[in-house]
Structure formats: C-alpha cells, structure tokens
Amino acid sequence: MFERTTAVAGWLSILIILLTSSPGNAQVRSFNTGWKFTAVEFASSEKVDSFRRLGINWSDQFLIEQTNETEGIQAMDTAIDKQWSALKDRQWYPVSLPHTAFPEPLVIVKPREGVAYYQKKFEVAPAWKGKRLTIVFEGAMQVMQVWINGKYMGRFTGGYLPFEVDFTDVARYGAENMVLVKLNNKANPVVPPGKPVGKMDFIYYSGIYRDVWLHIRNPLHISSSITANKIAGGGIFVTYPTVAKEQATVEVQTHLENNSDQPQTFFIEQAIIDKSGKSVAIEKSTPYSLSAGAENHYLQQLTVLRPSLWHPDHPYLYHLRTRIFRGKEMVDEQITQIGIRSFDISAQKGLLINGEPFRIAGTNRHQNYPYIGNAISDQASYRDAWLIKAAGMNAVRAAHYPPDPSFMDAADELGILIINCIPGWQYFNKNPAFEDNVMRDIRQMVRRDRNHPSVVLWEVSLNETYPSAAFRCRQAEVARSEWRGGKNFFTSGDSYFTKACYDVPYDDWNGDPGARNNTTYPDHAFLIREYGDYEFGGGNSTSRQLRSTGEAGLLAQAWNLQWSHNKNRKIYPRALGDLNWAFYDGLAGVVVGIEGWGVADIFRIPKYSYYMYKSQQPLALNPMLPFASGPMVFIASNWNSQSDPSKVVVYSNCEEVSLYLNDKLIATQKPDHGPETEHNDYSPQGHGFDGGNASNLLHPPFTFSINGFVPGTLKAIGLAGGKPVTDYSISTPGKPAKIQLEAGINGKPFQAGGDMIFVYAHITDEKGQLLWDTHQPVNISITGDARLLSPATVDAEAGIATFIVQSGESKNAIIVQATAGGLKSQPFLLKASGK
C-alpha cells in the first residue's frame, strides 16, 4: 500500500525508536474506529437455484464472457444534501473497520448486494494547519463516493487496491470534521473483475473491508507511490543492482513533493538497519533545493558488506530508514521493510534465488473468512500465511486479486514467495474504460508492492480470460514500464496456446491429469499455476472434499494431490514448480455450498492433504522457521470401523516409520518406492495409495497394511538414524464426554483492538479423542470485552464446531465456554494482548 510501516517479531523495541517523531514530523494514524454505518440492500425478484453446481466436463469450468458493455451510470447525485435526504430515516450503527456491510450465512445461496454508507466525525488539530491531510483507504468494495465536510471529493473504483483522498483544502482546524462514504458492491462491467458475482468462482463481499489511515504530512514530504502517479516512481522505490554474499548494492529512489509556497533546501539520509538495531549502511545526500509547488526524484546507493540475504528458507529483513532534513530539523521519515535478494529465471536453470536453485512448491489462496468475507484483521492475514508456511509450502499465488498488505508483510517475514495478481476472472470487456482500468490495476499493484522481497512474479493477465495477444503484450509492457532496471522483475500469465509477451507463462493444459507442459513458449521457463482439482471430475472433482466427508473422502483428495505433485516435479527445472488449487476451502457465486478444494477447510482446520505437504518439509530443524521444519509424522486415518486397514497411510519426513496397534508393532518401513501408474480415483479396498507414484517427492508416504480393523490406538514413531525423533497417535473414539476449547493462534497471539480469531470446540471422548462422526449443535458464550462474528450456535463438522471471536479495545481476559447437549466445557481463557 502506501509504504505502511510494519513490525515483525523481535523488532518492537527498535521500531519504537525509529517511529518516534517530533511534533513537526509527518504522522500516520489508524482511522479504523469511530465510524457509523447503514446500508440499503438491493431487492431482487430473480429466481435462485439453490442447488446449482458446475458440471463434470473439462469445458464446464470455462464461463468466459467477452462483452462490449458500458457502465450505464445514471446522473450521479454529488450534492451532500441529496445523500442526507435519502438517509434521513435510516438507523446508523457504530462500527470499526475492517467491516463487512452485508454479512453472509455459512452457505451462500445468493451473495448480498447493495449500497453501504459510512460516516465518521473527527477532530483536525490547529497545529495541522499548513500540512497536507489525506485519508488512505486500503480497500473498499467496489465503487465508492466520498464527501468531506459536505464537499464532494470524488469517485473511486476497484475493490482490491488503495486510493487516497486529499482533504487539505476543506479541513476545519480546531473543529469537528465529517467524512461520508457511499459504497456499491455490485459488479461493474468496466471495473475489473467486472463479472456479475452470480457467475464468479469467488465472491466480492462488501464494505470498507481493509484498513483506513489518516496521513498528516509536512509541505515538504515523501510522496505516496500511488497518488503521485509517476511511472516507475513516486514514494520510495528500492532495487538491488548487485547481490552477492560478500556485498550488495541497495539503490533507493525517493520522490519528494514541495506543497509550500517557498523553495525548500534539504538533504536526504538513508540508513539500513539490521535486526539488532545497528545501522549497516548510511548514505547522506548533498543539499538539494526544490521550488515551490515542485516535485522530483532523488537517487542514492548504499553498500552493505556481508549482507544477510532474504530467502524463503532464511527470510532476513532489514529496515530502510529514510529521513528528510531541512537544516537540523527532520521534516519527514519513513520506514520501509526490505529484503536483499536477487531472482533469475531461465528454462535451463529454473528459478535462482541469490544464485542458488530453488523449486517452487506452493498453493493458491482466497482471502475470505466465513460469515464476514474479506473483512479480516491484519493478524488473521498473518495466521493464514503462517499456516501455509507451516504446511511446508514456499509460495502463494494471490488468486485472483492483490491481497491485503498485511498478508504481503507476513509473506516477507515468513519466507513465502508471492505471485501477485491483478483482479480478473473469465471476463473481458472491450469497452476502452475496462481496458484502461486493467492497465491502471497493473500500475497500482506494482507501485503498491514493489518493495516486498517476497514478490517473485507479477501476474498481469486476467485469469482464464484470453484476450488478444496484442492486449496481453500491452499488459506486460505496462508492468515492465513500472520497474527500475532490468533485474529481478518477471511478468507471468495465462498463455493457453496463444503466445503473448509474458516472461513466465503458465502451463498449456487440456485437462489430462499429469500432462502439464507449455508448448507455446518452448524456450521459456513456465509455472504450473493450478493443479489437483478440476482435472479430477470438474465441478464434482474428487479433490473437493469437506472434512465432514470422512476418511475415504479426505484420502481421495490427498491421493489426487500426491499423484499430481509427483508428476509435476519431473518437469523441473523448466517448470519452476507447481501451485495446488487451493489452500483453504472457498465460496463462489456460481455454485451453492462450500467448495471443498482446500487442503485446510474454510475454518482453517487442516485435512489429510495438509500433512502430505507438511511431510515435504526438511527433517533438519531450521532455527529461523522452527514451525516449518524438523521431524514430523501423521497418520491419515480416523481409525474406526469405516477405516481401510489394508492401506494405512502415514505421512512423514523421517527415514523410517514404525507403526504400532495397541502397543504391538505392525511393521517398520522405509518410504513407499513403487512404480508410477495411471491415475485412478482412490477407493477403499481399491485404487490409490498403491505404494508408488511418489518417486519424485522429497519424502514419499509410508503405506502400511494391517490384517483387519481392531479398535484401539494406532501409534506411528518416526525414526532418523535408527532413533525415534517424533511420534503421533490416533485412537478409536468412544462416547461423547467432553468439550475442549482451542484458539487458532497459528503464530500470532490474539490481540486487542479488533483482532479476530477462530475458536474451536472439540467434542471428544473421556480420553480426549475427537469424535469424527459427531455433528451436533454447539453453543458458545463469551464474558469480557469481545464479541462473536459467527452465530452463537453452530453444528459441529467432523467433531469440531467453529466460532469467530473479535477482540474489543481492552487487554483484559476473555472467558469462553461451550455447551452441547449435556456437555459443558471448562472455562477457556482467551487473553487479548496489546498491539
């Protein structure tokens, strides 16, 4: 976004020093609280098919629309009195941001659409007179009008990228000010993605669903990379002309604006600060002069000796501190999180990071939560990233839009490569306004995210849309024009047998499982951007399995993903790697019901396939990423009467695994090493998990055979060097006896101030074993400064009922308790820490 400052683990004390600004310096303040909200939902007489599904054929996935449609805007009422007249009888509700205007049920039949209104009253200090005052919206869905103090400030379109409203000229100093926002979340034909939500494979949702910030800048200040609107410029732009273990060159371009009526003389100081707070490189410019009302770019180079390089396996981050001095007075300061690294890509060597080969093994992610859609906290975004990294994955394709800035920050910190995507899905409008907005989105995406070390590819194509080659080439050219220098920048996109101008095309594929290739760009490296879903039955893919489908369904999904991933890895290095579809279950306007394509469900609970991927993590412990490395073992079974004892699948990265049943050794085995075969769907006592189709995996599974089902406890012990290093047990469930509560911390403690977290109510037997076949209603109650964002009563799915709890402003303890039938949990302490 707008060079937002972020804090990472271990940096808090350093950042407090760095961000302490004198009263004269620029300031950035959260603008998320104190809002009021009302909305008008659109009525529809359209008949809704509550059972609609996609078909089973390969072609059924393509719902591509090619249109030439105008926006059809009626005369807009920009006068504030007309807005208030329309709202005079409506009730307003206090809200904090991020916020969903139209919350949804768990299963969405018809996504809600309408117009939402937000208003906020705020004070403007007299000391701010003479400064530049702006409000930055990180994301709002998706056509927005803004009034401040009764003055119409403009119309802003697009739901996934930021925009900034300058209200300097209408501010009331030392008095109350008021901002009014009007939002329409209905699909707009000239605003990408543009497609009606009922035909979409995801959902737009609604509201001001990302953070909002108040910026107070001195007349001489560092500009915004977005609103400066400079090609390959604006704000701060960091590149790395040379990167080596011995030394690296860091080049910093800073764009300054002088909004005063006098010339300004100043100098720029750049400092690169390591995790201990030490400055490892400092560069101070000679004095510059900037005329009244002028702007200019300034270039500086810093040399870092023996740098700690950023890499997915050791994601070291520095902070670049940019200060603007007018004499001895510091008039602006900005902190930019950076990672020193280089990318090179070729068909011969694949992806090189800092000169070393690296294979992509990743996933795709949609950003939504159940009920509240896209309006999730920064901490929730971090937890999403953490769980992906914990699964042994190293890359995420941000399908099909730029993600929240907090997710980008988390990727930098955790070492996740990002394939950044513009908004788009199976829709192309030949209207020039749509085409212009596509190019605007490309520019804004690059300007927002160019300093993130995690971005390896810039996906500038409209997903599965296939406009002309000339249009695709224009997309790539626009993206490249936004980059400085010829290094570390690679575009990507769909080719599908039409050659355009992407640096890294995606695979050309006609639906045959395992037949991944790109023949359109024979001399290019390519990326397998989605696999493991549609090729196994279209909209009824055997990979689409909810947790409630039980052991056989979850094994079917895991088998499909293992089989495909194993095939894909043979094509390396020309295929840089592969990205499964997808990490989390999702919701789509085009179908009814939860799409069970994820390796974790929509509540972020892992399925068996999650552990298949996690078993690919290194056996050796990585101190920088202990949660994504080290020995692991997992039994992919519920071990009940429905289990298939002839194929007990164990995922592990160990050299050997010993399997016990009721403390009796079944066998000690090495990983599966059978032959590769054609694909057949998994079925109990039938196809799948045949001991083969794993020779290309880093760590194949272990498939054991037991002579008949016997109730009790299965225990797997992972061995390395002949010694036990880890273990896992699963027992046949007994009768319901307990409710055990757990919070989905996932690397980020629950925080005060609007954080939201999943709370899981596990229905277990007396020994604490989850009852997989339990689906009874569970009720939850909360005591303390928090509220529920989910219903208070939900049905358990496969023994777990999931709730969403949002923190209030206080750091006091929150007590959670759950009941189900005659069962009652112990009080569960959910403490919200300070930010």
Side-chain angles (χ1 to χ4, degrees):
M1 58 152 292
F2 291 75
E3 292 79 41
R4 173 169 77 171
T5 301
T6 59
V8 296
W11 283 70
L12 183 58
S13 59
I14 299 170
L15 282 174
I16 290 172
I17 297 171
L18 291 176
L19 297 178
T20 301
S21 300
S22 67
N25 291 347
Q27 301 175 50
V28 180
R29 301 185 177 189
S30 174
F31 211 58
N32 283 345
T33 60
W35 290 84
K36 291 183 178 180
F37 158 81
T38 192
V40 180
E41 188 168 2
F42 296 145
S44 174
S45 58
E46 178 185 357
K47 186 176 180 180
V48 177
D49 176 7
S50 60
F51 297 97
R52 64 188 183 276
R53 302 289 299 173
L54 291 176
I56 62 173
N57 298 317
W58 166 246
S59 60
D60 291 333
Q61 72 170 314
F62 293 107
L63 306 171
I64 302 169
E65 289 189 35
Q66 298 267 354
T67 70
N68 190 344
E69 189 176 350
T70 60
E71 187 172 3
I73 304 178
Q74 297 178 350
M76 286 189 298
D77 291 326
T78 61
I80 191 69
D81 58 338
K82 292 189 177 181
Q83 301 302 319
W84 288 124
S85 176
L87 299 171
K88 63 181 179 180
D89 295 324
R90 301 208 56 87
Q91 185 175 357
W92 292 80
Y93 301 91
V95 298
S96 294
L97 308 180
H99 180 257
T100 298
F102 302 108
E104 299 280 6
L106 179 60
V107 175
I108 302 172
V109 176
K110 184 180 187 301
R112 299 174 67 191
E113 296 175 317
V115 175
Y117 296 87
Y118 294 84
Q119 62 166 303
K120 177 182 171 75
K121 295 177 181 178
F122 61 101
E123 297 290 326
V124 174
W128 297 351
K129 194 169 183 63
K131 298 181 184 293
R132 185 183 180 194
L133 308 178
T134 64
I135 301 172
V136 175
F137 295 82
E138 286 187 357
M141 193 59 65
Q142 65 183 324
V143 175
M144 180 170 177
Q145 294 172 267
V146 180
W147 294 260
I148 297 180
N149 295 332
K151 172 72 172 177
Y152 185 62
M153 308 304 294
R155 181 174 183 266
F156 307 87
T157 61
Y160 300 99
L161 286 161
F163 50 88
E164 187 168 16
V165 180
D166 188 335
F167 68 100
T168 307
D169 294 339
V170 300
R172 297 169 180 165
Y173 298 92
E176 184 178 80
N177 293 251
M178 198 275 286
V179 54
L180 175 69
V181 173
K182 180 181 180 181
L183 264 177
N184 187 335
N185 74 321
K186 190 177 181 68
N188 185 304
V190 302
V191 179
K195 193 168 190 174
V197 69
K199 300 178 181 180
M200 289 280 288
D201 206 25
F202 56 96
I203 294 173
Y204 293 128
Y205 294 102
S206 56
I208 305 176
Y209 73 94
R210 289 180 179 171
D211 292 323
V212 179
W213 305 90
L214 175 65
H215 286 243
I216 307 142
R217 297 182 176 98
N218 283 322
L220 178 66
H221 61 267
I222 302 166
S223 72
S224 156
S225 62
I226 300 295
T227 54
N229 197 27
K230 300 290 182 181
I231 294 177
I236 291 173
F237 194 167
V238 186
T239 54
Y240 308 96
T242 60
V243 174
K245 293 180 180 179
E246 296 76 23
Q247 70 176 46
T249 304
V250 180
E251 194 165 86
V252 184
Q253 177 183 273
T254 306
H255 183 242
L256 298 186
E257 295 174 338
N258 178 13
N259 293 150
S260 74
D261 57 4
Q262 297 292 324
Q264 299 287 326
T265 300
F266 60 92
F267 67 89
I268 305 172
E269 180 188 88
Q270 307 282 1
I272 297 175
I273 301 165
D274 67 15
K275 288 189 175 182
S276 70
K278 177 184 177 183
S279 295
V280 298
I282 297 178
E283 172 64 25
K284 185 184 295 185
S285 75
T286 58
Y288 295 112
S289 182
L290 191 59
S291 301
E295 47 82 18
N296 199 18
H297 288 95
Y298 303 91
L299 198 62
Q300 294 168 278
Q301 281 196 348
L302 299 90
T303 299
V304 180
L305 300 177
R306 296 176 296 280
S308 296
L309 301 181
W310 189 94
H311 186 279
D313 295 338
H314 43 84
Y316 192 93
L317 294 170
Y318 292 95
H319 278 155
L320 171 70
R321 184 187 67 202
T322 304
R323 286 177 169 174
I324 313 302
F325 287 92
R326 191 175 54 199
K328 294 183 178 181
E329 178 191 8
M330 185 172 65
V331 296
D332 204 355
E333 179 182 48
Q334 190 164 290
I335 310 298
T336 307
Q337 184 171 271
I338 64 171
I340 300 173
R341 54 91 177 111
S342 67
F343 294 141
D344 288 295
I345 295 175
S346 68
Q348 295 73 34
K349 295 183 179 181
L351 170 64
L352 303 180
I353 302 181
N354 306 325
E356 300 175 353
F358 189 84
R359 190 189 311 223
I360 290 174
T363 189
N364 287 260
R365 170 191 178 257
H366 276 307
Q367 64 187 3
N368 59 293
Y369 264 28
Y371 310 116
I372 57 174
N374 299 332
I376 67 176
S377 65
D378 291 352
Q379 298 87 354
S381 290
Y382 182 97
R383 295 182 191 109
D384 266 14
W386 186 94
L387 195 61
I388 291 169
K389 186 71 174 186
M393 295 183 175
N394 57 37
V396 171
R397 179 170 172 249
H400 302 288
Y401 40 76
D404 190 277
S406 60
F407 188 84
M408 303 295 295
D409 294 335
D412 293 341
E413 179 184 339
L414 296 170
I416 301 173
L417 296 173
I418 294 291
I419 294 87
N420 214 356
C421 307
I422 61 169
W425 194 81
Q426 296 191 11
Y427 177 88
F428 186 77
N429 189 347
K430 296 179 181 179
N431 187 291
F434 179 85
E435 297 186 1
D436 289 347
N437 284 333
V438 170
M439 302 308 164
R440 176 205 62 183
D441 286 346
I442 293 170
R443 293 192 186 280
Q444 302 290 61
M445 176 179 70
V446 176
R447 291 169 184 176
R448 189 193 77 160
D449 293 334
R450 63 197 181 191
N451 292 329
H452 286 282
S454 55
V455 181
V456 63
L457 293 175
W458 301 88
E459 183 179 311
V460 296
S461 68
L462 297 165
N463 182 70
E464 295 175 358
T465 300
Y466 322 123
S468 69
F471 185 83
R472 296 189 227 183
C473 284
R474 185 181 161 207
Q475 290 175 292
E477 290 163 5
V478 166
R480 292 189 191 104
S481 74
E482 288 290 339
W483 197 255
R484 295 190 62 256
K487 296 184 176 181
N488 300 317
F489 187 83
F490 300 91
T491 60
S492 64
D494 291 324
S495 61
Y496 271 60
F497 310 105
T498 297
K499 190 166 186 178
C501 302
Y502 304 133
D503 300 306
V504 179
Y506 297 143
D507 54 300
D508 292 331
W509 178 51
N510 62 3
D512 297 332
R516 303 284 181 166
N517 198 356
N518 185 295
T519 57
T520 310
Y521 293 73
D523 299 325
H524 284 236
F526 69 95
L527 177 67
I528 299 169
R529 64 165 175 80
E530 295 177 16
Y531 75 91
D533 174 40
Y534 218 88
E535 63 267 41
F536 298 114
N540 296 315
S541 170
T542 54
S543 294
R544 298 189 181 187
Q545 303 287 346
L546 302 177
R547 287 180 49 257
S548 58
T549 58
E551 181 175 312
L554 298 181
L555 283 170
Q557 182 195 63
W559 167 246
N560 289 350
L561 291 169
Q562 173 193 318
W563 189 92
S564 292
H565 187 46
N566 180 66
K567 295 286 186 187
N568 295 342
R569 287 177 62 86
K570 291 195 301 183
I571 320 170
Y572 177 82
R574 186 176 170 232
L576 305 179
D578 56 2
L579 309 167
N580 82 304
W581 186 268
F583 198 85
Y584 298 112
D585 286 353
L587 295 159
V590 73
V591 300
V592 174
I594 298 172
E595 296 281 24
W597 50 47
V599 303
D601 75 4
I602 199 168
F603 301 109
R604 280 49 180 174
I605 302 172
K607 304 177 190 176
Y608 293 169
S609 51
Y610 171 94
Y611 297 98
M612 185 274 287
Y613 286 108
K614 186 166 180 60
S615 70
Q616 305 307 295
Q617 73 185 26
L619 177 62
L621 186 68
N622 179 351
M624 287 194 73
L625 300 165
F627 63 94
S629 61
M632 67 79 61
V633 65
F634 176 81
I635 304 171
S637 175
N638 295 344
W639 199 241
N640 57 28
S641 60
Q642 304 302 310
S643 300
D644 178 7
S646 68
K647 293 180 180 179
V648 177
V649 179
V650 177
Y651 295 118
S652 180
N653 58 1
C654 295
E655 297 164 1
E656 297 178 297
V657 169
S658 295
L659 184 67
Y660 293 80
L661 175 58
N662 296 329
D663 296 325
K664 180 180 179 181
L665 179 66
I666 300 299
T668 298
Q669 294 183 188
K670 294 186 179 298
D672 294 348
H673 55 278
E676 294 190 16
T677 61
E678 295 299 314
H679 180 269
N680 286 289
D681 284 340
Y682 168 81
S683 60
Q685 295 86 38
H687 300 296
F689 293 107
D690 50 16
N693 296 288
S695 58
N696 299 305
L697 301 182
L698 292 173
H699 304 289
F702 299 74
T703 305
F704 292 85
S705 181
I706 299 176
N707 187 22
F709 170 75
V710 177
T713 300
L714 280 176
K715 183 176 183 179
I717 299 177
L719 307 172
K723 297 181 179 180
V725 290
T726 188
D727 63 78
Y728 177 86
S729 297
I730 186 76
S731 298
T732 307
K735 296 181 178 180
K738 298 179 182 179
I739 301 176
Q740 297 182 340
L741 296 177
E742 176 189 17
I745 298 298
N746 291 345
K748 182 68 67 174
F750 190 48
Q751 295 187 3
D755 189 9
M756 51 196 66
I757 198 165
F758 289 113
V759 172
Y760 306 109
H762 300 250
I763 302 175
T764 74
D765 64 14
E766 190 61 45
K767 295 181 179 179
Q769 177 59 55
L770 186 69
L771 273 64
W772 313 100
D773 58 351
T774 297
H775 305 281
Q776 68 188 92
V778 179
N779 179 266
I780 196 172
S781 62
I782 299 175
T783 303
D785 188 13
R787 68 184 185 117
L788 276 174
L789 298 178
S790 61
T793 301
V794 300
D795 291 339
E797 180 184 2
I800 303 175
T802 306
F803 305 86
I804 306 175
V805 176
Q806 183 175 40
S807 64
E809 293 302 316
S810 92
K811 294 184 286 184
N812 296 331
I814 300 161
I815 305 298
V816 183
Q817 204 155 18
T819 58
L823 303 178
K824 186 175 183 178
S825 73
Q826 294 294 317
F828 178 71
L829 177 65
L830 182 61
K831 185 171 178 58
S833 62
K835 289 189 177 181

